[in-house]
Amino acid sequence: LPLAGAEIVLPEKSSAPEEIAAQELQSWIRKITGRELKILAVPSADANVKLFLGRACAEKLYPEDVKKLEGRDGFAVRNSGKNIYIFGSIPKGTLNGVFAFLENNSDLIWARPHADYGAVYTRNPNLSIVWADALEIPRSSLRGWLQNAGGGGADFPIWAVRNRCNYVGGVPSENLMYGNFT
């Protein structure tokens, strides 16, 4: 499925981690393709690809996945025609799912915790969705890095979250903002 003309659907009153998930998805797709996807609270009537984010969008369609993910920050990515659903049982799972979706549909990696040179990817204006069917339940409940492990400062918390860490030691505001465990 081509991402050109796609839209991101994020329901109103979504949590902070889900809003960050939508912003990250929009930002990285723009960096990779040069195209800006709209973030909408309600899907348009257009016959385009729709990227639905969050449990609220998926729990009626995929209740078994939500049950398997319950209480963990794992995620599911499912597709139904031109509709792609990225969700977790908790908001942090949706955020993790967005990062896995980006990694698996491009060559993007977040190698270092530095905004200027930490991400590696190839620009691709014709980026297509080739990976949209997964269920990931982490085997460990806490995953994180020490802040002095190759970086630090303001770029470290989002780098750790992009690499699906769920605990950034000693940084309570970022742990809460990203839906991490505290």
Side-chain angles (χ1 to χ4, degrees):
L1 294 171
L3 272 170
E7 62 192 55
I8 299 167
V9 181
L10 180 70
E12 286 185 21
K13 298 182 183 178
S14 292
S15 68
E18 291 166 328
E19 289 176 7
I20 292 167
Q23 293 162 5
E24 286 281 305
L25 184 59
Q26 180 186 53
S27 174
W28 286 104
I29 289 175
R30 181 182 62 246
K31 288 174 185 176
I32 294 168
T33 68
R35 295 185 173 123
E36 178 100 6
L37 302 186
K38 293 178 185 175
I39 299 175
L40 305 171
V42 177
S44 73
D46 297 342
N48 58 348
V49 171
K50 293 175 178 31
L51 304 166
F52 291 90
L53 302 184
R55 178 178 180 157
C57 292
E59 64 188 340
K60 289 182 182 175
L61 294 170
Y62 303 102
E64 292 175 14
D65 286 344
V66 172
K67 185 176 180 177
K68 289 176 186 175
L69 295 165
E70 197 62 49
R72 301 295 296 269
D73 65 344
F75 61 86
V77 179
R78 299 294 188 210
N79 68 324
S80 177
K82 289 186 173 183
N83 295 332
I84 307 295
Y85 297 87
I86 305 172
F87 61 96
S89 75
I90 62 175
K92 172 67 170 151
T94 299
L95 188 55
N96 288 342
V98 162
F99 294 130
F101 178 82
L102 287 164
E103 289 172 343
N104 285 289
N105 285 294
S106 71
D107 62 355
L108 172 63
I109 60 169
W110 293 281
R112 304 295 294 164
H114 300 281
D116 294 335
Y117 60 86
V120 179
Y121 60 93
T122 304
R123 291 189 189 339
N124 180 358
N126 300 313
L127 188 67
S128 291
I129 300 168
V130 295
W131 182 89
D133 189 31
L135 177 72
E136 183 177 300
I137 302 169
R139 293 190 185 259
S140 60
S141 57
L142 290 176
R143 300 170 310 283
W145 294 90
L146 296 174
Q147 275 226 30
N148 63 356
D155 297 330
F156 183 82
I158 187 63
W159 171 81
V161 168
R162 287 175 180 149
N163 283 287
R164 295 198 277 293
C165 294
N166 63 11
Y167 179 76
V168 181
V171 193
S173 62
E174 281 83 359
N175 277 320
L176 295 173
M177 179 174 68
Y178 295 122
N180 291 340
F181 296 105
T182 55

